Amino acid sequence: MALLLKEQIDKRWPDQAKCTCTGGPHLYEITCARETLAELCGWLFIDMRLKFATLVVEEASREWRLRYIFYGGAGAVWVHVLASSPCSEESFPSIVESVHAADWHEREAEDMFGLTFAGHPRLGDFILHDDAWQENVQPMRHHFDPQMAIRFRKPAADWRPHRIVQEEGAFVMPVGPKFSGATESVHFLLETVGEDVIRFTPRLFYKWRAIEKLAEAKPAGRVLLLAERFAATTAFAHGLAYCQAVERICGAEVPPRAAALRIFLAELERLRQHAGAIQEICESTALVVAASGAGIVEEDLLRISGELTGHRYLFGMLAPGGLLVDLPDLACQRALRGSQQVLRQLEKLEARLRVSSSFLDRLEEVGLVAHQVATAYGLLGPVARASADAHDLRREHPYSGYEKFQFEVPSEEEGDGYARLRVLFAECRQSVRIMEQALDTVAGGSVCRSFPFRAGAALGWAEAPRGATFHWVRLDDQGYIDRYHVTAPSFANWHGFHAAVENFAFQDFPIMLASFDLSVSEADR
Amino acid sequence: MSHWVFNGIRTGIKTSAYPRRPETAAGVTPGLPRGRKLDAGEAKALMDTCPAEVFRLEDGRVLADVRRCIHCYRCMRIAPHPALWEQSYEWALQPGRETGFVSAFKKSINICVVDAGDCGSCLNEVRQLNNPYYNIHRLGFFITPTPRHADVLLVVGPVTDHMSLALQKVYNAMPTPKLVVAVGVCALSGGVFAESFACAGGVTDVLPIDVEVPGNPPPPLAIIHGLLVATGRKAPVDMPATPYQSGGSGP
Ligand code: SF4
């Protein structure tokens, strides 16, 4: 497939696109004329069945550089499609007509940089809320001055929620940003004519902290703190993807001991996050004993993490080049034993849930996501795997030595809430299995190798508990950040979430929300 | 479905003995740094490792303003003369005067939680409060969805620009007397997001804070301590003023 890709592109677009194989056999860069962009991206996405990872916009001194990153397919390749234009030319053709997964990415680029994407059906009012900011605030531009933006603040006075349903008697039920008990801040517009949710529009970015802007011109070690802390329920996975990007730029090798321990910790985090997700699902169906049982397991895992690393969310373990501190083997063994015990509890819980008909009634055939929808939206993680999209970066684009591990990628066919729950349980089993192997094979030696910084850019990736996370990093030769772009799994999953909730009754909404395990801080950044 | 009942009973009691007795289980807290006595050069090395400007030098002692700590562990893991570390969890402070919560209902307090842009971990620790391990209902604390019923406003996160108005509206919708408990370093000083133009850098700029709970995130026990302090059932600590302890064990 790899060779095929280059040949086919040369044949189809001999003058418009140039495909080169850079950095290893699996990474392709295609420089593409703007007129051909949509067609070529569509071909990669639909015909070649690649997945869309992210769109990286960079403002170079004289030109815009856009990088559409695709991955996967039969050959497990990375394909970077590059398009550029002079700085004065701020319009690009939109690719969403064929690559639906890029929808929100283009909206983000429009909001952050002021680029327009010709042919995109709906730009504006995305990250920067129109009822909070005036037009023409472009925070990611180099010349952006927050003082001016704040001083001349002029929100749109006539902002109205986006409405689709125009039926007589239709109304919009707004929910949030503050709603329910202890929930993340997000706003939902639920359109209805009565019992069912007919259209659903999430309004995200209440929690937008502009971490990509914040990272600019900061040393790489400092930005690691941000990478860990912007969505800290999965801090380790994000920190790991970030560290791998920095290491890739600088050509740094991670000592084998650190690589194995990174995997151990990443799986511990997955286990904990999945236990939390299971707890939320049980709670959303008001099955109190099960919710308490899962809650006990979650806290057990938080304590195991805290005892092992000092921190319940694994902060302060990662460092570019390895780990900040070594973990004694005995402590790791203890953590593993604890995790195995926890897994037994989870298995008991699963067995009980399986025979609780009132619980199953609320999950089965609820929040359906068809396989085609999952691929079109580029859904990620357990949500995609429950819709028969058994994709996993640990398997297809292994990092940190995952290629040496034996594990399965669980998947289900139905794409409903129950399928997602089963995937979560199955993944917990696999995580413990990987942790066991990590400790069996862990070598001795140091856990960190320092390295000199180099100018350059690279993508770091990891399979976070909620799905694939991508961190694009550009460094200067002093090790300061030029550009940092994060695409976390919940960004894609929020995009597709509406497809699951539409045409369901209101009372199922909390259950569907819980079964998607969405993180707002991951999407908002 | 009866198996759930038996299963629930068989699980037994998991709940922490805190606040009656200290909690001794491992992994319930990330701990906090303590100041120590160092000479000027050593102290400078320690201060330079900390990305959050926690340490300062005063009369030959290094003092730690733990309200700023973001738990990166660099002071303990890479500084040549590491900071001392304390595995405590009673961290809540009262920045202003003694508030004296004048309410007849000290033992039945409704809490409204607002996420003003947190990273998810503070909120996850708040979620644990209803977990059997912590079960705040036994202490008379209840999380309520609506501000109208709330006595205490619990805020997490650095207060993003987009959440600022919502936060004020929630506060205004609460009946008096009311208290604000700011949970986590981001709510206290913005944490790693402090410099962002899209964040207020803490709750203080928007609302008056009555009780501060440091930590990134503060563990559930620290949040419980914060709530007990808010209702006058526990004394606050006076950490910034007593950062120096001689002795103590280094890592
Ligand atoms: S843990 Fe990090 S932030 Fe906290 S005092 Fe130490 S160096 Fe500073």
Side-chain angles (χ1 to χ4, degrees), chain A residues 51 100 365-390 412-417 419-420 493 496-502 504 512 516:
Chain A
K51 294 189 151 276
H100 188 57
E365 290 171 37
V366 163
L368 282 168
V369 182
H371 178 69
Q372 299 90 307
V373 173
T375 32
Y377 280 87
L379 298 190
L380 295 168
V383 176
R385 293 193 275 270
S387 297
D389 188 354
E412 299 285 346
E413 300 284 326
E414 294 90 336
D416 60 356
R420 291 192 277 277
N493 289 353
F497 180 54
H498 81 92
V501 292
E502 283 166 359
F504 277 98
M512 295 186 276
F516 255 67

Side-chain angles (χ1 to χ4, degrees), chain A residues 17-297:
Chain A
K18 192 165 155 307
C19 179
T20 49
C21 186
T22 56
H26 296 301
L27 176 59
Y28 290 85
E29 283 193 349
I30 304 174
T31 318
C32 178
R34 291 194 324 167
E35 317 77 75
T36 327
L37 190 64
E39 191 188 334
L40 187 130
C41 288
W43 178 75
L44 290 171
F45 190 68
I46 295 167
D47 298 358
M48 300 307 283
R49 295 173 174 272
L50 296 187
K51 294 189 151 276
F52 180 71
T54 183
L55 163 61
V56 185
V57 180
E58 291 181 288
E59 185 186 6
S61 56
R62 290 223 181 75
E63 57 176 13
W64 290 108
R65 295 200 184 128
L66 270 58
R67 182 182 292 263
Y68 299 80
I69 303 181
F70 294 84
Y71 67 108
V77 289
W78 290 97
V79 180
H80 294 208
V81 179
L82 310 179
S84 60
S85 83
C87 269
S88 52
E89 185 68 59
E90 294 180 345
S91 174
F92 281 83
S94 166
I95 65 165
V96 296
E97 199 174 309
S98 39
V99 187
H100 188 57
D103 177 4
W104 280 15
H105 295 264
E106 288 185 355
R107 291 181 72 182
E108 175 177 343
E110 194 258 0
D111 242 12
M112 295 289 97
F113 289 94
L115 297 178
T116 52
F117 291 87
H120 192 292
R122 186 177 168 220
L123 295 170
D125 194 26
F126 190 55
I127 293 185
L128 294 161
H129 291 174
D130 281 1
D131 54 342
W133 295 96
Q134 60 277 40
E135 287 296 308
N136 297 321
V137 176
Q138 292 138 6
M140 290 305 290
R141 294 286 288 263
H142 290 321
H143 63 64
F144 172 68
D145 176 2
Q147 295 315 324
M148 295 294 266
I150 292 165
R151 187 138 53 110
F152 296 106
R153 202 157 178 147
K154 195 164 162 287
D158 56 348
W159 182 84
R160 287 283 171 281
H162 181 67
R163 282 189 69 168
I164 300 169
V165 184
Q166 301 296 338
E167 202 67 22
E168 200 182 328
F171 62 95
V172 185
M173 184 163 135
V175 178
K178 159 79 192 112
F179 68 104
S180 187
T183 44
E184 287 194 272
S185 291
V186 57
H187 186 71
F188 306 124
L189 296 163
L190 302 163
E191 293 186 67
T192 180
V193 284
E195 296 284 313
D196 287 358
V197 178
I198 298 175
R199 283 286 174 270
F200 167 87
T201 316
R203 198 161 187 248
L204 290 153
F205 305 106
Y206 280 91
K207 298 174 61 162
W208 179 63
R209 292 144 292 173
I211 64 153
E212 294 180 3
K213 189 72 183 175
L214 205 48
E216 283 177 5
K218 296 243 162 50
R222 192 60 80 90
V223 174
L224 172 60
L225 299 172
L226 267 179
E228 283 178 333
R229 282 166 184 76
F230 82 97
T233 47
T234 53
F236 196 82
H238 292 302
L240 181 58
Y242 170 80
C243 283
Q244 285 172 353
V246 173
E247 288 152 10
R248 191 160 291 128
I249 295 168
C250 305
E253 285 266 340
V254 173
R257 181 172 178 81
L261 288 178
R262 279 178 170 189
I263 288 185
F264 185 78
L265 293 172
E267 295 305 323
L268 177 59
E269 179 179 80
R270 189 182 322 277
L271 186 59
R272 195 217 63 230
Q273 178 53 38
H274 281 5
I278 291 166
Q279 196 273 346
E280 295 239 4
I281 293 175
C282 295
E283 191 160 283
S284 72
T285 62
L287 191 53
V288 180
V289 182
S292 299
I296 289 172
V297 162

Side-chain angles (χ1 to χ4, degrees), chain B residues 33 49-55 68-76 85:
Chain B
T49 25
C50 176
E53 292 164 19
V54 168
F55 301 104
R68 304 183 58 84
C69 176
I70 56 168
H71 290 144
C72 70
Y73 296 95
R74 292 181 183 180
C75 58
M76 174 184 162
W85 206 263

Side-chain angles (χ1 to χ4, degrees), chain A residues 243-435:
Chain A
C243 283
Q244 285 172 353
V246 173
E247 288 152 10
R248 191 160 291 128
I249 295 168
C250 305
E253 285 266 340
V254 173
R257 181 172 178 81
L261 288 178
R262 279 178 170 189
I263 288 185
F264 185 78
L265 293 172
E267 295 305 323
L268 177 59
E269 179 179 80
R270 189 182 322 277
L271 186 59
R272 195 217 63 230
Q273 178 53 38
H274 281 5
I278 291 166
Q279 196 273 346
E280 295 239 4
I281 293 175
C282 295
E283 191 160 283
S284 72
T285 62
L287 191 53
V288 180
V289 182
S292 299
I296 289 172
V297 162
E298 187 187 2
E299 174 68 17
D300 282 340
L301 287 162
L302 283 165
R303 290 182 181 187
I304 290 169
S305 309
E307 193 184 351
L308 177 64
T309 68
H311 197 274
R312 289 154 60 90
Y313 296 85
L314 311 179
F315 289 3
M317 284 307 297
L318 281 163
L323 294 177
L324 197 60
V325 65
D326 197 2
L327 297 174
D329 284 338
L330 269 177
C332 292
Q333 291 293 352
R334 217 176 126 81
L336 177 63
R337 276 197 305 279
S339 307
Q340 286 164 331
Q341 243 163 42
V342 156
L343 182 65
R344 280 195 287 279
Q345 293 300 320
L346 280 173
E347 284 178 332
K348 276 187 203 156
L349 180 70
E350 188 186 11
R352 282 195 196 97
L353 289 174
R354 252 178 217 286
V355 294
S356 299
S357 51
S358 66
F359 173 74
L360 298 181
D361 282 348
R362 307 221 50 194
L363 282 174
E364 279 175 323
E365 290 171 37
V366 163
L368 282 168
V369 182
H371 178 69
Q372 299 90 307
V373 173
T375 32
Y377 280 87
L379 298 190
L380 295 168
V383 176
R385 293 193 275 270
S387 297
D389 188 354
H391 178 85
D392 194 318
L393 287 178
R394 293 173 294 171
R395 171 63 53 78
E396 280 131 54
H397 302 275
Y399 50 89
S400 199
Y402 267 112
E403 64 277 6
K404 292 181 233 124
F405 286 74
Q406 303 284 322
F407 63 98
E408 281 151 34
V409 179
S411 75
E412 299 285 346
E413 300 284 326
E414 294 90 336
D416 60 356
Y418 187 40
R420 291 192 277 277
L421 181 70
R422 293 202 304 277
V423 168
L424 291 177
F425 276 113
E427 288 191 8
C428 289
R429 268 189 287 281
Q430 298 303 323
S431 287
V432 174
R433 196 171 151 200
I434 296 172
M435 288 165 77

Side-chain angles (χ1 to χ4, degrees), chain B residues 111-185:
Chain B
I111 302 156
C112 181
V113 181
V114 173
D115 163 17
D118 88 320
C119 65
S121 65
C122 279
L123 211 57
N124 208 46
E125 296 293 46
V126 171
R127 264 185 63 226
Q128 301 307 318
L129 297 177
N130 277 335
N131 183 310
Y133 273 115
Y134 300 107
N135 179 19
I136 51 167
H137 291 186
R138 78 198 149 101
L139 301 170
F141 296 123
F142 305 91
I143 292 178
T144 170
T146 159
R148 296 280 184 217
H149 292 167
D151 309 292
V152 168
L153 177 59
L154 194 158
V155 191
V156 296
V159 189
T160 54
D161 190 83
H162 286 167
M163 272 310 288
S164 167
L165 179 64
L167 179 62
Q168 287 169 40
K169 282 189 177 174
V170 169
Y171 182 76
N172 292 338
M174 285 169 59
T176 43
K178 52 190 165 189
L179 290 179
V180 178
V181 178
V183 168
V185 61

